[in-house]
Amino acid sequence: MKKILITGCFGQIGSELTMRLRRDYGNDQVIATDIRRIEGSPLLEHGPFEILDVMDQRAMHRLAEKYQVDTLIHLAALLSAVAEAKPQLAWQLNMGGLMNALEVARELNLKFFTPSSIGCFGPETPADHTPQDTIQRPTTMYGVTKVAGELLADYYYTKFGVDTRGVRFPGLISHKTLPGGGTTDYAVDIYYEAIKRNRYTSYIAADTYMDMMYMPDAIEAIVRLLEADPARLIHRNAFNITAMSFSPAEIAASIQKYLPDFKMDYQVDPVRQKIAESWPNSLDARCAKDEWDFAPAYDLDTMTQDMLEKLSKKLGSTTA
Ligand code: AKB
């Protein structure tokens, strides 16, 4: 992996991954692309940026050729709650964009990474210690695209020999870029509101568990998997990974250790609650550990401490 093209670079994962890869591989080695340009973003200052609509396969091919990349990281996609509100668009963008990216990887012989999600599971999946290989019958459009995406990436590996790799991300928590339209977003919003107002109204019920991960661990996981020895990889495109599993009540309790007056109440959103209930409580990530040494560094309390510190600085508060 020497020269990398990233789609969806301004998204929650893309914005941090681009910076990390530029640090590791050199600014000019990482070509950031997105459907829009966000003026003032550091991504524009530190290396090449190009506008790219992932629905335009020829444009993607042209850019990959222009910069002579050897790796394609495809991140542009709709998240679960937005996909549920716009299922037709979600199918078109999540599957159309992925198919285009896989085709470009096949045509130009590129290494390939795209994320799947805990959204690929459904209500019939075993909810606790969800195995790597298990029942996948998601009841959301997001989940349908994620399962199909895992299979498509496997297919491109077995049929065409494209070096495809991927993980099933849990909810990702970051102090840098906000997620957009996911079910797990409450676990980011809560920290912002804790700093700003010392209270939060959760749209997910108090005792609903979902897997989560702090962004530094997620970025490290992508880099590690892309650099992993292919001979060790059995599950190429859909590794279960997780760093922690918690409920809204537990994340509130973690915040209260640092902000004792923090208050939480609940106004459950039936749409996102239903999605959350159809997802696992906790994943079994042993295959990722065995096949490429996945090892997250943060747990709930260390993440809470870091989030509150970083966000206090960012939002100019002295509460944490
Ligand atoms: C979402 O909530 O849609 C995402 C995910 C778990 O894939 N954060």
Side-chain angles (χ1 to χ4, degrees), residues 73-93:
I73 298 181
H74 176 58
L75 301 176
L78 293 191
L79 291 183
S80 56
V82 181
E84 238 7 58
K86 300 174 184 173
Q88 295 84 355
L89 175 65
W91 175 265
Q92 279 163 15
L93 180 73

Side-chain angles (χ1 to χ4, degrees), residues 78-307:
L78 293 191
L79 291 183
S80 56
V82 181
E84 238 7 58
K86 300 174 184 173
Q88 295 84 355
L89 175 65
W91 175 265
Q92 279 163 15
L93 180 73
N94 291 10
M95 294 315 299
L98 176 60
M99 184 71 185
N100 288 342
L102 282 165
E103 269 298 281
V104 172
R106 180 185 69 78
E107 287 160 354
L108 299 174
N109 193 23
L110 311 179
K111 185 181 264 198
F112 187 84
F113 175 91
T114 200
S116 183
S117 154
I118 51 171
C120 72
F121 296 115
E124 294 148 52
T125 304
D128 296 307
H129 311 294
T130 303
Q132 173 67 43
D133 301 307
T134 186
I135 301 164
Q136 289 179 268
R137 306 285 297 168
T139 46
T140 63
M141 178 52 91
Y142 181 65
V144 170
T145 66
K146 287 299 173 189
V147 177
E150 290 180 0
L151 293 173
L152 196 59
D154 276 346
Y155 180 81
Y156 267 69
Y157 170 64
T158 49
K159 174 87 177 172
F160 303 119
V162 179
D163 186 357
T164 53
R165 304 180 184 200
V167 296
R168 292 174 179 145
F169 272 131
L172 298 180
I173 293 147
S174 157
H175 55 86
K176 290 192 178 144
T177 308
L178 287 167
T183 303
T184 58
D185 296 9
Y186 89 87
V188 180
D189 301 341
I190 192 172
Y191 289 112
Y192 278 83
E193 292 303 306
I195 299 290
K196 288 193 223 159
R197 299 192 304 128
N198 216 9
R199 58 181 312 125
Y200 182 63
T201 302
S202 174
Y203 60 79
I204 297 291
D207 56 353
T208 306
Y209 282 81
M210 285 183 277
D211 285 281
M212 302 278 177
M213 185 179 291
Y214 200 27
M215 190 59 88
D217 283 332
I219 300 296
E220 186 61 33
I222 296 174
V223 173
R224 236 180 232 213
L225 176 57
L226 274 168
E227 287 177 347
D229 175 1
R232 285 180 64 197
L233 300 182
I234 301 164
H235 300 87
R236 295 197 136 249
N237 292 298
F239 282 99
N240 280 2
I241 60 169
T242 182
M244 57 194 103
S245 163
F246 58 74
S247 63
E250 286 177 0
I251 189 173
S254 175
I255 291 173
Q256 277 157 353
K257 289 183 190 163
Y258 306 94
L259 299 175
D261 296 332
F262 175 72
K263 300 265 177 319
M264 176 96 143
D265 60 7
Y266 296 87
Q267 220 173 312
V268 171
D269 166 15
V271 175
R272 284 179 287 186
Q273 180 63 26
K274 190 163 167 234
I275 297 175
E277 282 171 12
S278 77
W279 290 356
N281 299 331
S282 66
L283 297 188
D284 178 342
R286 263 176 303 176
C287 289
K289 288 181 183 146
D290 292 348
E291 294 173 42
W292 49 279
D293 308 320
F294 165 69
Y298 286 88
D299 63 15
L300 176 55
D301 285 342
T302 50
M303 174 177 78
T304 295
Q305 197 177 4
D306 201 57
M307 279 294 283

Side-chain angles (χ1 to χ4, degrees), residues 22-36:
R22 283 183 173 161
R23 218 177 54 226
D24 288 1
Y25 295 93
N27 284 347
D28 292 338
Q29 302 303 106
V30 183
I31 294 79
T33 76
D34 205 298
I35 194 162
R36 70 216 192 281

